[in-house]
Amino acid sequence: MGRSNKSGKTFTRRDFVKATGAAAGALTAATILPSRGNAAKADRIIIGHSQEPVQYNPLLYVNRGTENGPESAMFDALWDMNEKGQFVPNLATEVPSIENGRVSEDGKTWKIELKRDVKWHDDQPFTAKDVAFTYETIMDPKTAVRSRSGFDLIDGLKVVDDHNVEIVLKEPYTPFLWSWQEMHIVPMHILKDEPDINTSAFNSQPTGTGPFKFKSRTAGSHIVFERFEDYHRGAAKVKSLIQKTVPDTMVLYGQVKTGEVDYMMTSLPYDRWDEAAALPDRAFVELPLPWVQFIYFNCGKPQFADPKVRKALYMACEMQKSLDDIYLGRWKRTLSYLHTSHWAYNHDLKDETPNIELAAKMLDEAGWKVGADGIREKDGHKMKFTMSTTAGNTARQGCQALFQQNWKAIGVEMEINNMPGSVVWGEYTTKSQFDTLLVAWAPIVGMDPDYTARCHSQYIPAKHGQGSNYVQYENAEVDALLDKGAITVDRAERTKIYGEVQKILLDEVPFAPQGGVFGGFVMDKGLTGVKPNQYVTDSTWNIQDWSWS
Amino acid sequence: MTETDNIGTTVDLTPMRSKKLSRSVFRRFLRHRLAVVGGAMVVILLSSALCAPLLAPHDPLLIETSQRFLAPGDNAAFPLGTDELGRDTLSRLLYGGQISLVVGITAMLMTVITGSLVGIVSGYFGGWIDNVLMRFVDTMLCFPQVFLLLVIAAFVTPSLLSISLIIGLTSWMEVARIIRSEILTLKEQDFIKAAVCYGSSHTRIMVRELLPNAMAPILVAATLKVATAVLMESYISYLGYGIQPPLASWGNMLTNAQGYFDTVPFLAILPGVMITLTVMSFNFLGDGLRDALDPRLKMGQ
Amino acid sequence: MLQFILKRLLYAIPLLIGVSIIGFALMHLAPGGPLGVYTLNPTVSVQDIERIKVIYGLDQPTYIQYMRWAGNMLVGDWGNTFFGGRPVLIVILERVPATLLLAGLSLSIAILLGTGIGMLGAVQRYSIFDYLATTGAMFALSFPTFWFGLMAIFVFAVEMRWFPSGGMFELGEEGNVLDLLHHLVLPTVVLSLVIVATWSRYSRSGFLEVIGQDYIRTAHAKGLSNRLVITRHAFPNAAIPLIALLGVQMPFLFSGALVTETIFGWPGMGRLFVDALTMKEYPVLMGLMMFTAVFVIVGNLLADIGVAMVDPRIRLEG
């Protein structure tokens, strides 16, 4: 059924059936039920997500994805990341850099100038005090902010005047731009008297500077946003924006087909991509998402202490086949923690998988000999371990089954031990209790190639109580490279540093890269201004530019 | 209100010799054609699951992605087709039957036995025993079953038996309440009062008089619980506390087929049909049993 | 009677306290916790997780956390959600109407239809109708609800476009009763399927039981019409297990249906519970449990009274 049908002013078949279906007199119903006209369609965009955003305070939400909808609709950051991978100013007049003199030569002092014509949704002016307040709130021990990454490096933040802020860092930190790109600014005049920001009414009825104002929320169903006429980058093209929650992905897909949803924020299952791409009046976009999927080896376990063993296990896996057959060729093979399309990706890396013979030989050399039961063993340890991931993820279960089969061929026994997300990603992961995990993770600081928290030896939480090096990987050379990369500004130089890190990681395989995650999104063909952006997690990052053609 | 004056239920006070009873029961059961068919089906299902290693044409775990999504009949080597990883559906159904039937039957027995026991004891004795038992039932009912399942499952290492027991232990309350209500009316009837007067022991009254007369709802509960237990297993497994992949059960085959419900409908329909067949067989078996056990019902109406 | 009710309500107090203690303990004993979800955000490090743990008081021993919760409950404070920081009571109450509507409608339909089908099946035992009803019920019980739901949406919403595929209202039609009815059709049908199947089985066996009894035969022999015999004589006695079943199913009116609500995007309690359980939203789970407990107590109390009213020989004691 075409668009003309669903938006036509005439009495359509759908309206008729709808009326009869309502178990009321058909004629009465038809006159009562208004048919939705073109005007309504042109004035609103309905985006659909399978999860319901519950936290609209940009400092407090937990995970990226669901809550990015309200965030990008209602709030602004100092600068954004565009689809070309460049920082572009948003609330700031300019993105600070050494070239434009806003970052000092030693990289420690940052001068940020703010736009002057910015207003909060309640007409109050936006000033430097709001930026300072946002920083102070993030660092307040009573605030349940998800992360202080980057902000904990700030030595001092000074409000110079209403539109200028000066930040001094304890040490230079190149990815610092990302920290502010990910934190949107909250209003001081509303939140300063709030006794407890974690339970503030603001969190479900916020006031921001963004292109849309909060209008209403129907629990479990949808949120309605209304255009903010005084938006500093120009008022949005449509009057209202609706974020709808449709828990089942297949039903959500059905709603995009019927026109009940205009843009599907949740990625479509891979087996539906061809069908979706062929839909007559729907557009289909395929794009890399920041995540890369890995097999995580816990280097603290006796089986995985030896890099040679990890490499052998990695070599036995049919990685390309897993992507082709389980992700139907939609994901792209990558050999590092970055997508191959990332500027810092090391293109000299070679894919050596699968090589069963070599894998078996390497295990032999490492001293793991096949025992009487067909399973390899060494010093009383069996080459036997579990692999865990969130239960119920059928695609990952398929990968696990394939790797299990691959490893069985070289005398390695893997048992699948999947658990609910709240268990597997709790202390089981953070205290490094797992054997192996199958997990997809994005880079740690936006899309910056810095990977300190994941593989620097000082960032093993089980040992040092900080970081997220859950595999407990220790390598002095990698440590030195990571330390250097974090303070190096020149991109070519950084490419070299992180290229070397990627090379070592592929040799020692603390985590075995499988593939870069891709997503497929369906939308109404009439929707314009949608800019797929692989550098951010929110597809609605430029929602103010969306409109109907 | 009912005319409760004519409660002329068949009063069978002369204790039948058990041999004679069981023979007549068996004869009555055999006369019940559907019940025999049901019983035979149960035997066939059980033995085919048991003999899965002999009957299955393929390794149920073997991934053969070049052969995936075959429909039944597409390829003679895979008579019932293949799933999203190219695993043979027939083999998975056979092996899956091992898990699903064990879970279904064990959990059902557990549910029905616990439920009937609590229901009969509670209803028959009344007073403080009833009060204690029913408040316990209330307490158990306060926790959503899914919640109880997950909490218990998290502490017990998942095995076939433990999953079955957990399902059984969290679903008997409904049965207990129903049986108790049945017993409450039964015990006011003359034949029970008479049995009490004759000095029959409590156990004897409960087992020989009350249980057979409350058999009808017990058997219905049994049929229903087979189906719910099989589906419940897949739910626990889906959440990560049950059977781990890549092992198959009918329930998890259904769950995995969720994404292909319209594109490859057989993936869901086949395990669904297996569950239907099982429940159906148990239902007819139960019907037959009830007719055979119930002295009041005449055959072949 | 009044004394019986009062006594039972008195018992409810220790029961509620017990339920809250057991529930709280089980919830905290189970592995995993609300902070697991933070780990998946790559910017979150272990020190962040430790910090948040302190803010939510999750670093305290369980009994302290319980005392805190119970103390707040006594003054009517149900706490706030971890994610969103909203008052739990509001979070729960705003879902009540949706669930009450869907569950209430489905349960009523199921009671009427299920009892009717069962009764007919019993009267015309081994007829074509009886076999069809039996097969239908077995089929409904053996396929999972999500399958029926997805099929219904696929056929009637996406292909035929007769009904909307989810939600309660068309956007901008909030409050329109006709629109609401239109949205109710598919979820109600799907949700009713399983309940009808259950009810029809218990009802069929209940009526079979009664029909076989002598007093019914006597009534027949007295020349009473079939219908009169069934409605006047058989029905009340066959209804006894059904009343007990209804009592047990009462909390369903509050707790709703997990799968049906998820598939149809129905903004009800079932989904709230699933979300709370996956996210380990302890305050919400506790709130839901307390509400459910009240429904369980009232449901079973009503069932006990109901059974005693149908069969006056039964004395209410306890």
Side-chain angles (χ1 to χ4, degrees):
Chain A
M1 197 183 273
R3 227 154 86 70
S4 56
N5 249 351
K6 77 173 144 24
S7 53
K9 276 198 174 103
T10 47
F11 186 77
T12 63
R13 179 173 68 116
R14 192 168 168 219
D15 283 334
F16 177 77
V17 175
K18 187 173 169 177
T20 34
L27 285 170
T28 340
T31 47
I32 293 169
L33 288 174
S35 60
R36 282 160 299 148
N38 284 320
K41 176 81 176 180
D43 268 353
R44 71 171 188 217
I45 293 173
I46 305 170
I47 54 181
H49 200 289
S50 62
Q51 280 170 311
E52 186 184 13
V54 290
Q55 173 62 275
Y56 311 155
N57 185 331
L59 305 187
L60 297 180
Y61 69 80
V62 179
N63 216 339
R64 303 192 289 197
T66 325
E67 260 108 3
N68 283 145
E71 184 185 38
S72 52
M74 296 186 288
F75 292 93
D76 283 310
L78 294 179
W79 36 81
D80 292 341
M81 166 60 50
N82 72 8
E83 76 281 6
K84 299 186 191 93
Q86 299 154 334
F87 285 103
V88 288
N90 184 357
L91 290 172
T93 55
E94 221 178 352
V95 178
S97 67
I98 296 181
E99 292 86 71
N100 66 21
R102 295 191 186 272
V103 179
S104 63
E105 280 301 325
D106 65 357
K108 283 191 180 173
T109 311
W110 294 55
K111 292 190 176 121
I112 300 159
E113 190 193 351
L114 305 170
K115 285 186 188 157
R116 280 156 203 276
D117 50 355
V118 182
K119 275 186 183 163
W120 293 100
H121 294 159
D122 58 0
D123 265 351
Q124 295 290 313
F126 158 81
T127 71
K129 286 192 188 121
D130 294 310
V131 178
F133 176 78
T134 301
Y135 162 69
E136 283 154 17
T137 310
I138 290 170
M139 296 312 287
D140 184 341
K142 291 204 295 287
T143 310
V145 64
R146 62 189 170 278
S147 169
R148 291 172 173 178
S149 161
F151 296 97
D152 47 3
L153 293 173
I154 296 179
D155 197 31
L157 185 146
K158 198 168 80 196
V159 175
V160 179
D161 60 38
D162 265 3
H163 300 99
N164 283 287
V165 180
E166 197 178 291
I167 298 172
V168 179
L169 296 181
K170 291 173 194 154
E171 52 194 79
Y173 182 56
T174 307
F176 189 56
L177 281 175
W178 282 104
S179 306
W180 285 104
Q181 184 271 339
E182 293 209 321
M183 277 303 172
H184 289 50
I185 308 299
V186 295
M188 171 172 168
H189 66 280
I190 293 175
L191 287 169
K192 66 173 192 295
D193 300 322
E194 196 61 57
D196 182 0
I197 188 172
N198 304 321
T199 58
S200 164
F202 175 85
N203 303 344
S204 38
Q205 285 197 344
T207 305
T209 56
F212 289 93
K213 292 191 283 191
F214 175 81
K215 190 177 174 205
S216 67
R217 165 183 182 273
T218 308
S221 176
H222 62 275
I223 316 165
V224 182
F225 306 102
E226 218 168 36
R227 173 163 67 198
F228 177 40
E229 301 294 344
D230 295 333
Y231 185 52
H232 69 95
R233 292 193 281 192
K237 308 279 194 304
V238 288
K239 225 186 223 160
S240 59
L241 172 73
I242 289 144
Q243 179 164 351
K244 202 171 165 183
T245 307
V246 184
D248 189 274
T249 314
M250 289 313 298
V251 177
L252 178 55
Y253 177 46
Q255 295 205 356
V256 187
K257 284 197 206 165
T258 59
E260 288 164 278
V261 163
D262 300 319
Y263 182 92
M264 182 168 166
M265 272 177 94
T266 309
S267 179
L268 197 63
Y270 307 101
D271 61 314
R272 308 284 169 153
W273 287 20
D274 289 333
E275 178 197 317
L279 288 175
D281 26 58
R282 298 287 171 271
F284 180 73
V285 186
E286 212 177 308
L287 86 153
L289 302 176
W291 298 275
V292 169
Q293 187 155 297
F294 306 96
I295 300 172
Y296 254 49
F297 293 112
N298 185 349
C299 306
K301 299 267 167 149
Q303 302 97 312
F304 308 120
D306 184 353
K308 203 157 188 179
V309 171
R310 302 194 299 259
K311 179 90 182 189
L313 292 173
Y314 163 66
M315 301 273 284
C317 294
E318 292 176 289
M319 291 295 189
Q320 187 61 52
K321 185 184 164 74
S322 72
L323 303 181
D324 290 345
D325 289 351
I326 292 154
Y327 296 102
L328 307 178
R330 308 299 185 182
W331 289 18
K332 302 276 179 299
R333 180 85 172 104
T334 176
L335 303 172
S336 92
Y337 58 87
L338 299 169
H339 271 265
T340 50
S341 52
H342 194 282
W343 58 264
Y345 183 79
N346 182 349
H347 289 277
D348 296 333
L349 302 174
K350 294 270 174 296
D351 189 1
E352 302 151 290
T353 64
N355 190 337
I356 301 251
E357 294 76 33
L358 187 57
K361 205 176 126 213
M362 286 170 79
L363 284 177
D364 282 336
E365 284 167 11
W368 291 87
K369 306 284 184 205
V370 181
D373 53 354
I375 297 169
R376 288 175 187 271
E377 53 191 30
K378 182 187 178 182
D379 306 334
H381 291 294
K382 288 243 170 235
M383 189 43 92
K384 214 172 152 176
F385 53 87
T386 61
M387 184 185 275
S388 307
T389 194
T390 312
N393 183 329
T394 24
R396 284 198 190 156
Q397 283 173 15
C399 297
Q400 289 176 315
L402 181 69
F403 299 149
Q404 191 177 46
Q405 191 167 308
N406 291 153
W407 285 334
K408 202 175 162 193
I410 55 166
V412 171
E413 187 177 306
M414 179 267 271
E415 193 186 321
I416 300 171
N417 180 27
N418 294 342
M419 296 176 258
S422 63
V423 181
V424 70
W425 310 120
E427 293 189 344
Y428 187 71
T429 297
T430 59
K431 299 223 159 131
S432 300
Q433 294 162 353
F434 60 90
D435 288 347
T436 67
L437 299 173
L438 186 62
V439 62
W441 254 315
I444 41 170
V445 208
M447 287 303 287
D448 194 88
D450 177 30
Y451 219 47
T452 309
R454 288 271 190 249
C455 54
H456 192 293
S457 64
Q458 288 305 304
Y459 288 80
I460 300 174
K463 289 184 185 155
H464 308 288
Q466 64 162 357
S468 48
N469 181 353
Y470 305 130
V471 288
Q472 311 193 61
Y473 176 64
E474 288 173 314
N475 181 318
E477 204 185 340
V478 170
D479 289 358
L481 286 165
L482 290 170
D483 289 341
K484 196 168 154 211
I487 56 169
T488 307
V489 178
D490 181 58
R491 191 175 261 202
E493 186 66 20
R494 297 189 84 205
T495 309
K496 246 170 74 192
I497 295 170
Y498 290 108
E500 190 57 25
V501 171
Q502 293 167 51
K503 186 177 162 292
I504 300 172
L505 289 178
L506 194 63
D507 281 339
E508 307 208 326
V509 212
F511 26 79
Q514 183 191 9
V517 179
F518 276 67
F521 302 89
V522 201
M523 67 183 104
D524 196 300
K525 236 180 201 156
L527 212 53
T528 59
V530 180
K531 276 196 193 134
N533 184 342
Q534 60 162 309
Y535 299 95
V536 293
T537 39
D538 51 333
S539 41
T540 54
W541 69 282
N542 68 336
I543 189 76
Q544 68 276 2
D545 298 330
W546 292 22
S547 66
W548 290 105
S549 59
Chain B
M1 217 36 12
T2 23
E3 290 179 34
T4 39
D5 50 340
N6 41 16
I7 328 144
T9 322
T10 318
V11 185
D12 188 2
L13 291 173
T14 33
M16 257 190 280
R17 242 166 267 130
S18 59
K19 211 182 197 174
K20 194 173 144 205
L21 177 86
S22 63
R23 196 185 305 144
S24 73
V25 164
F26 187 63
R27 210 175 292 140
R28 261 188 288 185
F29 179 77
L30 272 188
R31 255 189 290 154
H32 204 292
R33 224 174 290 150
L34 265 177
V36 176
V37 173
M41 271 307 292
V42 170
V43 172
I44 292 173
L45 285 166
L46 279 174
S47 50
S48 63
L50 208 67
C51 303
L54 300 173
L55 295 172
H58 297 271
D59 175 352
L61 308 183
L62 186 73
I63 299 170
E64 189 87 63
T65 41
S66 59
Q67 303 287 332
R68 70 163 150 236
F69 292 136
L70 289 179
D74 274 2
N75 181 335
F78 303 96
L80 290 182
T82 54
D83 69 0
E84 75 277 8
L85 294 174
R87 295 176 292 203
D88 178 44
T89 304
L90 175 60
S91 309
R92 285 180 81 72
L93 282 176
L94 286 167
Y95 277 93
Q98 294 181 339
I99 290 173
S100 294
L101 287 172
V102 168
V103 171
I105 295 172
T106 318
M108 175 268 279
L109 287 177
M110 191 76 197
T111 307
V112 168
I113 292 172
T114 320
S116 314
L117 192 72
V118 172
I120 292 176
V121 169
S122 188
Y124 175 68
F125 287 109
W128 68 269
I129 295 181
D130 179 42
N131 210 350
V132 167
L133 284 174
M134 283 306 112
R135 297 301 78 76
F136 178 60
V137 167
D138 283 352
T139 313
M140 289 284 288
L141 280 171
C142 289
F143 306 109
Q145 195 187 4
V146 183
F147 176 78
L148 278 183
L149 282 170
L150 294 188
V151 172
I152 304 174
F155 291 108
V156 186
T157 12
S159 73
L160 215 46
L161 192 67
S162 70
I163 296 167
S164 318
L165 293 184
I166 291 168
I167 296 176
L169 282 175
T170 51
S171 44
W172 57 268
M173 293 83 78
E174 180 187 298
V175 183
R177 290 284 312 180
I178 292 171
I179 304 303
R180 172 179 170 272
S181 76
E182 191 82 356
I183 299 297
L184 283 182
T185 45
L186 279 175
K187 84 166 171 183
E188 299 301 331
Q189 297 194 8
D190 293 344
F191 72 106
I192 300 292
K193 289 191 168 153
V196 176
C197 290
Y198 270 84
S200 302
S201 74
H202 290 318
T203 327
R204 188 181 174 83
I205 292 174
M206 284 191 282
V207 175
R208 296 298 292 268
E209 306 294 342
L210 290 175
L211 181 65
N213 280 291
M215 217 51 202
I218 294 178
L219 287 169
V220 171
T223 323
L224 300 180
K225 292 299 171 189
V226 172
T228 36
V230 168
L231 293 181
M232 196 53 89
E233 175 274 314
S234 70
Y235 191 63
I236 308 178
S237 300
Y238 173 78
L239 293 170
Y241 289 123
I243 308 296
Q244 287 287 354
L247 288 184
S249 74
W250 294 342
N252 73 26
M253 289 174 77
L254 268 167
T255 317
N256 284 349
Q258 187 167 355
Y260 314 105
F261 75 98
D262 54 340
T263 47
V264 200
F266 276 110
L267 284 183
I269 291 175
L270 287 172
V273 166
M274 291 309 289
I275 302 175
T276 315
L277 269 181
T278 310
V279 184
M280 211 62 150
S281 319
F282 273 98
N283 177 65
F284 289 132
L285 187 65
D287 256 14
L289 268 182
R290 196 200 41 182
D291 288 353
L293 288 173
D294 191 337
R296 295 167 309 196
L297 277 172
K298 282 252 157 59
M299 284 295 307
Q301 280 166 327
Chain C
M1 176 74 109
L2 191 67
Q3 199 196 357
F4 167 76
I5 296 176
L6 283 176
K7 216 168 161 190
R8 278 286 282 274
L9 290 180
L10 211 64
Y11 286 135
I13 297 168
L15 195 85
L16 284 175
I17 296 174
V19 166
S20 76
I21 294 177
I22 300 170
F24 204 88
L26 288 177
M27 210 165 58
H28 281 79
L29 281 172
L35 304 182
V37 58
Y38 280 92
T39 314
L40 286 176
N41 186 327
T43 56
V44 175
S45 60
V46 166
Q47 58 272 39
D48 288 319
I49 293 175
E50 290 302 316
R51 181 173 49 81
I52 297 163
K53 199 187 255 182
V54 175
I55 292 171
Y56 290 141
L58 294 168
D59 56 328
Q60 301 289 323
T62 307
Y63 70 91
I64 302 259
Q65 291 187 46
Y66 175 77
M67 297 302 269
R68 242 182 230 172
W69 176 87
N72 287 338
M73 277 300 274
L74 285 180
V75 295
D77 176 6
W78 292 60
N80 290 76
T81 60
F82 290 148
F83 308 106
R86 304 181 63 223
V88 167
L89 193 59
I90 292 179
V91 168
I92 293 178
L93 290 180
E94 68 190 4
R95 303 286 187 128
V96 168
T99 287
L100 199 61
L101 186 63
L102 178 60
L105 193 61
S106 307
L107 193 57
S108 326
I109 290 179
I111 292 170
L112 290 177
L113 214 61
T115 313
I117 292 174
M119 189 161 80
L120 264 178
V123 175
Q124 310 178 359
R125 202 178 179 210
Y126 301 135
S127 64
I128 298 281
F129 173 83
D130 186 29
Y131 283 127
L132 279 180
T134 303
T135 316
M138 295 304 135
F139 183 71
L141 287 163
S142 302
F143 278 80
T145 313
F146 74 73
W147 190 80
F148 287 114
L150 287 174
M151 285 313 265
I153 289 174
F154 178 67
V155 175
F156 298 109
V158 178
E159 290 301 316
M160 320 265 254
R161 309 213 179 183
W162 287 1
F163 299 102
S165 57
M168 271 179 95
F169 292 104
E170 209 65 46
L171 290 168
E173 299 286 327
E174 286 81 0
N176 182 338
V177 178
L178 285 176
D179 189 50
L180 175 63
L181 286 173
H182 192 214
H183 279 79
L184 263 170
V185 177
L186 289 185
T188 309
V189 169
V190 169
L191 184 52
S192 306
L193 271 178
V194 180
I195 325 177
V196 170
T198 310
W199 274 80
S200 71
R201 297 319 292 167
Y202 278 115
S203 147
R204 178 178 180 272
S205 101
F207 278 102
L208 270 183
E209 196 79 340
V210 182
I211 285 171
Q213 294 198 5
D214 286 352
Y215 71 95
I216 297 292
R217 289 192 200 148
T218 317
H220 270 294
K222 275 196 263 175
L224 291 176
S225 79
N226 215 359
R227 171 179 301 202
L228 203 66
V229 173
I230 295 291
T231 50
R232 289 275 317 277
H233 299 256
F235 192 83
N237 280 299
I240 285 173
L242 296 180
I243 293 172
L245 182 64
L246 183 60
V248 180
Q249 287 188 344
M250 269 280 273
F252 170 71
L253 292 176
F254 169 79
S255 57
L258 320 185
V259 181
T260 310
E261 288 185 6
T262 304
I263 296 282
F264 288 96
W266 194 261
M269 206 67 73
R271 261 176 64 202
L272 181 69
F273 171 69
V274 173
D275 289 347
L277 196 65
T278 13
M279 301 285 280
K280 299 265 175 172
E281 267 280 10
Y282 295 154
V284 178
L285 286 176
M286 282 309 288
L288 287 175
M289 240 180 270
M290 296 327 286
F291 268 108
T292 314
V294 172
F295 272 77
V296 169
I297 292 167
V298 173
N300 288 340
L301 174 59
L302 289 180
D304 282 346
I305 296 173
V307 169
M309 279 169 72
V310 170
D311 187 347
R313 289 166 309 172
I314 298 172
R315 276 163 291 117
L316 286 172
E317 51 183 341

